[in-house]
Amino acid sequence: MATAVGTLPMGHEENSLWTWLTTVDHKKIGVLYGVSGFIFLLIGGLEALTIRTQLAVPNGTVVDADLFNQLFTMHALTMIFLAVMPLGASFFNYLVPLMIGARDVAFPRLNALSYWVFLSGALLLTSSFVFGGAPSGGWFGYAPLTSSEYHISSGMDFYTVGLAILGTSSLMASLNFAVTIINMRAPGLTMMRLPVFIWMTIVVNFLLILSLPVITVALIELYFDRNFSTTFFSPSVGGDPILWQHLFWVFGHPEVYVLILPSMGIVSEVLPVFSRKPLFGYAAVVFAGVAIAVLGFAVWSHHMFTTGLDTVPQMVFSATTMAIGVPTGIKIFNWLSTMYGGQIRFTVAMYFSVAFIALFTIGGISGVMHASPPVDTQQQDTYFIVAHLHYVLFGGAIMGIFSGIYYWFPKMTGRFLDEGWGKLNFWLLFVGTNLTFFPMHFLGLSGMPRRIYTYDSGFGWDTWNMVATIGSYTLAAGFLVFILNFFKTMRQEPSAPNNPWGGSTLEWATTSPPPEHDFDVIPEVRDRDPLWYDRDHNIEQPAAPEHLHIHMPPPSYFPLVLAMGLALVGVGALSHLAITGLGVAVVVYAIWGWALEPTD
Amino acid sequence: MAAASNAAQAEHHTSAGVDNRMLLMWIFLASECLFFATLISTYLIFQGESLVGPLPGEILDIPTTSASTFVLLMSSVTMVLAVYGAQHGSKLMMKLSLLATILLGLIFLGFQVYEFRMFVHEGLTLSTNQFGSSFFLLTGFHGTHVGVGVLYLTSLLIGSTRRNGLGSDGGTHIEIAGLYWHFVDIVWIIIFTIIYLIPS
Amino acid sequence: MRPSARALTLSAVSVIVVLILSAILWVIFAGSVDHLQTTFNPKSDNAIKIHNLYKLVWILAGIVMAAVLAITLAFSLIFRERPGGKAASHIHGNPKLEVMWTLIPVIIGILIVIPSFQVIADTTGDAPEGAIEIVATGHQWWFEFEYPAAGLVTANELHIPVGRPVEIELRSVDVIHSFWVPQLAGKVDMVPGHNNRLWFTPNERGEYYGQCAEFCGTSHANMRFRVVVESEADYIAWVAAQTLDAQPAVGELAQAGEGIATTLCAACHTIQGTSAAGTFGPNLTHVGGRGLIASGMIDNDAEGLAEWLSDPAAMKPGSKMPNLNLNSEQIEQLVAYLQGLQ
């Protein structure tokens, strides 16, 4: 009988550095993404704290203008690409095979490659701080401010190259998960029986598959403008800065749905379990998710209402943006209806999911406001937008991620995060979110623009800025409590049963943590809530056979080598093209080795 | 090229009935569609917007490019033959057709290099004007894709000469490569039509 | 099935909590009406239309938000597990409810979108007949204002008459900026290579605060301007004065300053009537009469001017105006001269 090979140290199994560097096990890769994502979340948080400290008082002197501009640029890039997306990827990695009754993803080595490419892109982008300065053109990088004429430091090249590498990582992962979900479902697991989290995963995959190429081209064009004097975005040579905006936002808008849908999936899993009743309106929640993704490609110019768009495009994009509120609302109402008539157990995971509903709604409502172009002319580029985006991304995405962490922690580690500390964690984050970001609505409506390193007193902005800063320190305290909770919990002996919360989905049908091969016997699925159905109909789990003849793919170092080759390609693009050549050679070698190595 | 290593993949039952790797290629090509669509959009947006010459009408050589287009189209025919050969156990037909495809691909690339060098000689570079920037970027990336395809097919050809050949599912590998190759060809048809044919 | 007394009580509690929060919100918004750059105190026809639209949107959106928050709180309180509580009900859906909460957001969406289209049509497009034409050009990090009809060029302080429409053509010489004076109009970006336009008719005299609202580089935070809306008579007088040549220097100090200005400053600045004809920096012909300098950063007094002249980049990081390494005597002279340029 295979021992439970977990993903975090359990003492008696292989856990060397080499194991982690060569793993192709989706659970370990999930942990790698999770730990990296969380560290970058903290880095992004430090960037934010510095920003908030600078803005606590008028005419602050904590950082100078140039460093401030680097900080807000990197804060956004870090949070979006190095924190929230990898944390989402962490859940995808760990849970997708388990939830669909598979033993791993379709392409385990490609999966490992995605992680190592992510890490090299993340390190490359972050290293810009010490190599001449981080990019300071904003995460949205509007031309021509980002051209070599106006953005003299190489930070902008770290931006293009770094994001291109990160995009490659996300694309590979998305392809992998899409094939896995389409092709590797357990017997009886039809698409309309998939957990909502899995539906959100595949929707996110397609959002990325179709939007990443657009920004890749934009980044290539910007890199070429800066380094090879092409004429795409600079008006001085006939280019058009508005082209950059279109290309960026055709990616950028679907990207925000990439950020929120995984958390919406998590909430859709957590609410039913702790309400002790099935998700209300499953089909509607699934179709709403798909609708949001499709419509998500039709709203991008709502980021451009003030750029001088013609009347007709303004009206069209306003209508599509308003339309996207409808499926979003459907999800909210379905979640509330899931709570209705329930026997709700308020674990920390449930606190976070319920808070998601409230806080995401606040963010969604402010979004509806600037979906109206005339209203947007007073809100665009002010702190009102900063308030909106942080309510949906922090109050939404991050709260959802924490819900998932508390919910699946026993499954992944066999231990329970302390509920008492967890509640403190929750309240600090909940109060902190509102203290930090609610006043920003007032600041924006009182005329405070965004992306300013300082402001004068006398505008009525002083008090709310101070309140927001206090809120940001409250958030920091919340994170600290979580980190302490984590380390305290990891010192315990693992003791969690298979299904401590009474969940209905397949990951709860195996041990906590699962063995390396996930399931001793691949389950058969008879219902949308398989474990509840089997429980209610007294269906026994099939016994594991005497000898398990399960072949799992062996570890491989070629993903790591290939990633290092790609990193060299990137470094060469920032220094000498000879290094790019070397990188290409390493990549070719790695592909050759990868193709030829035995996998059985 | 994959030898026994992917035998496990080949024998697996899949929920949608499509081989995992085939599905991967299809979805990847969807992504590539958007990639080229964006490059083509950039080209179309800047059509007629160049501040200085040379302009397309002055410099594009349609007869020569028609010839190279024909070559690439023929390579798709030989690719079809390679897939046919692989699926019907005719190893010789597969190898010869693969070789022909590779050679035709290389000839196409040769034409591209010739055209690029001629343009540079006549004063059109990446940085000359909107036409130069968008033309070279679009056709350059297309050429890169052809080049990667040539390397891909060459690896398959070399792999097929080993003792176990491409393994029991070698036909699938050739078919998947065929998907990629046809895609690159279709993209070229679109590029050729938009850049060369329609304006004239 | 009637809700229990407990459920009713907890629902009432939730509603009251949300109402209190809404009331606090209302008070805060009401209190911001006198903020200098507020969006809540419109003083032009177009700004009023936008604000009225926003009030409608705020109410509709606010009702939805309050309802969702109240329901979330109420359900959390009512359906919390407790001994003797009802077992969880197994509902998978409710078609009537689902149709309703699909249709109601659609209706709300339409209620917002239709007036929005109307306001777009009313506030954009062609300016009314007889609008004063102004060209506003964004620079890193200051605003240039030109009145082509009158042939005058100034910077950072716009004067317009009350009750007459103005049409502003928006340009940029470098990166994207945005022209935003909240009390008078919504913002429109100044995109290099494009000629965006905005128009409005101010309806009350006053001095209104504006700020660049598109991140434009190091000193984006320091790119501010004022719009002075004055009576027709005052406006005509201002235009007339602005088109005159620069006042000649009076007194030894100022004359020495003129000497410095027409040599050191001439490369970038224009002082009409002297030999200084540079166009890189703001036009200084009548700089003495402006309320603020350095693009709305500080009051235009001797102390401020001196501080600016001694080290522009210290006040405005990244400033394109170099530090001319003037000694205190030269600064005193220049200040005297510039203050005389009324």
Side-chain angles (χ1 to χ4, degrees), chain B residues 41-58:
Chain B
S41 300
T42 300
Y43 181 86
L44 287 173
I45 284 167
F46 282 127
Q47 221 172 22
E49 301 288 324
S50 291
L51 299 177
V52 298
L55 300 178
E58 305 162 355

Side-chain angles (χ1 to χ4, degrees), chain A residues 3 18 20 28 53 97 146 256 274 291 307 317 334 342 392 397 408 412 422 434 449 489 536 543 575 577 599:
Chain A
T3 44
W18 187 247
W20 286 92
K28 281 200 162 64
T53 310
T146 51
V256 312
F274 293 108
T307 60
F317 282 102
N334 279 328
V392 290
W408 279 300
M412 296 178 183
N434 288 297
T489 304
D536 294 342
S575 51
L577 285 178
T599 53

Side-chain angles (χ1 to χ4, degrees), chain A residues 191-223:
Chain A
M191 292 300 284
M192 289 310 276
R193 284 181 180 166
L194 283 174
V196 173
F197 180 75
I198 301 296
W199 266 109
M200 295 302 101
T201 305
I202 197 171
V203 166
V204 162
N205 296 153
F206 276 100
L207 280 172
L208 286 168
I209 288 166
L210 298 174
S211 66
L212 281 170
V214 181
I215 189 152
T216 306
V217 171
L219 291 168
I220 291 172
E221 290 177 355
L222 180 59
Y223 180 85

Side-chain angles (χ1 to χ4, degrees), chain C residues 16-40:
Chain C
I16 289 170
V17 165
V18 170
L19 283 177
I20 292 175
L21 288 174
S22 306
I24 296 175
L25 251 192
W26 182 261
V27 165
I28 295 174
F29 281 131
S32 73
V33 162
D34 55 352
H35 289 171
L36 293 176
Q37 219 159 272
T38 182
T39 60
F40 275 9

Side-chain angles (χ1 to χ4, degrees), chain B residues 131-155:
Chain B
F131 171 56
S133 293
S134 54
F135 171 84
F136 281 114
L137 203 69
L138 172 57
T139 53
F141 268 100
H142 175 263
T144 310
H145 279 76
V146 174
V148 167
V150 164
L151 288 172
Y152 184 8
L153 295 178
T154 307
S155 328

Side-chain angles (χ1 to χ4, degrees), chain A residues 6-144:
Chain A
T7 55
L8 289 165
M10 289 188 65
H12 53 269
E13 48 110 53
E14 271 269 38
N15 222 1
S16 61
L17 178 63
W18 187 247
T19 310
W20 286 92
L21 292 176
T22 59
T23 186
V24 297
D25 173 3
H26 70 98
K27 299 183 289 300
K28 281 200 162 64
I29 295 173
V31 169
L32 286 171
Y33 268 113
V35 171
S36 315
F38 199 84
I39 292 176
F40 279 107
L41 183 64
L42 296 177
I43 293 177
L46 285 174
E47 287 158 348
L49 279 181
T50 313
I51 291 171
R52 279 314 325 159
T53 310
Q54 162 70 7
L55 293 175
V57 295
N59 297 310
T61 50
V62 173
V63 291
D64 67 23
D66 187 51
L67 182 56
F68 183 92
N69 296 341
Q70 291 176 42
L71 282 171
F72 80 70
T73 301
M74 287 301 291
H75 167 72
L77 290 170
T78 303
M79 288 305 196
I80 292 170
F81 296 105
L82 311 186
V84 176
M85 284 178 81
L87 286 169
S90 165
F91 284 112
F92 295 164
N93 261 284
Y94 204 99
L95 295 168
V96 166
L98 287 169
M99 279 182 153
I100 66 174
R103 293 215 156 94
D104 208 310
V105 295
F107 302 100
R109 286 174 297 175
L110 187 67
N111 200 15
L113 177 65
S114 302
Y115 172 74
W116 294 113
V117 173
F118 152 73
L119 187 65
S120 51
L123 291 173
L124 190 133
L125 182 61
T126 311
S127 74
S128 60
F129 272 116
V130 300
F131 286 116
S136 59
W139 86 281
F140 50 97
Y142 278 3

Side-chain angles (χ1 to χ4, degrees), chain C residues 122-139:
Chain C
D122 287 345
T123 59
T124 58
D126 290 328
E129 285 284 317
I132 299 171
E133 301 211 346
I134 297 171
V135 175
T137 305
H139 296 249

